[in-house]
Amino acid sequence: MRIDNIDLQKIADIKDKVEEHSKTINQLVEDTIKPYVKDLDKYVQFIRDCLKDGENPPTDAELDDFVLNLSTLIYWASGACEQLGIRDDISKAVYKEMYHSKRNELNSGTVADKDSIAELESIQEQITNIVYNRAYKTMKAKIENAQELLSSAKKVLSHRITSIELDRISR
């Protein structure tokens, strides 16, 4: 690969175009997952705010609350995530169906020409599939991170219980 004849302005223009399209896709993904994950997001933000106060660590009652609420929110979000997985699968099938339908309509041209035209003709379906795929992956990642947070809260609570027991025994 030669880099001595790179057109920096062209690269900047392409990057701008990628950023513009990414914003659109990101907004579509956020709009897709928001109804499913807004409660979990709000609660994780609440926990984050509690943890920001370094001088006042969460109380045992707050840790209990974290564990119970996170478990419940993860339960509901996991079910919604599976619904998004179904939509991802269906959107992929819709995209493939449109692609093959457009491809079969073409009677002339090379294989590469037919493939290119079919791809262009099914771009909306492909973008829809990308949105559902990213929504599913984003939601799955949020759930996995919430599970890690839940696990950490359980460990801290367990550690505190053990410390209280040791203090009680040592008296």
Side-chain angles (χ1 to χ4, degrees):
M1 176 174 152
R2 291 185 47 198
I3 60 171
D4 55 344
N5 62 350
I6 290 178
D7 183 345
L8 294 177
Q9 182 56 51
K10 191 168 194 163
I11 290 173
D13 292 343
I14 293 168
K15 285 177 62 180
D16 289 344
K17 190 174 185 177
V18 168
E19 289 301 319
E20 180 181 323
H21 291 309
S22 295
K23 284 179 187 173
T24 302
I25 297 295
N26 284 336
Q27 188 60 54
L28 289 168
V29 168
E30 286 300 314
D31 291 346
T32 301
I33 68 171
K34 189 175 186 175
Y36 302 113
V37 78
K38 71 179 177 192
D39 292 337
L40 181 62
D41 281 344
K42 197 184 303 185
Y43 197 73
V44 169
Q45 183 62 47
F46 166 73
I47 293 172
R48 183 174 183 247
D49 292 343
C50 289
L51 296 175
K52 276 185 180 178
D53 184 3
E55 292 188 21
N56 297 311
T59 64
D60 294 346
E62 287 174 322
L63 284 171
D64 282 339
D65 185 68
F66 295 171
V67 169
L68 291 172
N69 282 310
L70 276 174
S71 296
T72 303
L73 291 168
I74 289 169
Y75 171 83
W76 291 110
S78 295
C81 188
E82 286 306 311
Q83 291 175 9
L84 280 175
I86 291 168
R87 286 170 176 79
D88 176 28
D89 293 341
I90 291 170
S91 68
K92 186 175 183 178
V94 167
Y95 163 59
K96 284 183 175 183
E97 178 182 25
M98 178 59 78
Y99 172 87
H100 291 295
S101 172
K102 293 296 181 181
R103 177 79 169 64
N104 287 336
E105 288 176 5
L106 301 171
N107 295 322
S108 63
T110 66
V111 169
D113 291 341
K114 290 178 182 181
D115 289 345
S116 294
I117 292 169
E119 278 195 35
L120 288 172
E121 293 286 326
S122 60
I123 194 76
Q124 297 300 316
E125 290 79 5
Q126 184 180 27
I127 289 171
T128 302
N129 176 239
I130 289 168
V131 167
Y132 277 112
N133 184 265
R134 293 296 167 200
Y136 172 75
K137 288 179 179 179
T138 300
M139 184 128 180
K140 187 176 178 185
K142 285 180 178 244
I143 291 167
E144 288 171 357
N145 289 327
Q147 287 171 329
E148 286 294 321
L149 184 56
L150 173 61
S151 178
S152 295
K154 285 179 178 180
K155 286 177 184 175
V156 170
L157 194 56
S158 178
H159 177 70
R160 285 187 185 177
I161 291 169
T162 302
S163 293
I164 291 169
E165 286 296 317
L166 288 174
D167 283 348
R168 190 175 57 81
I169 292 171
S170 66
R171 287 184 197 181

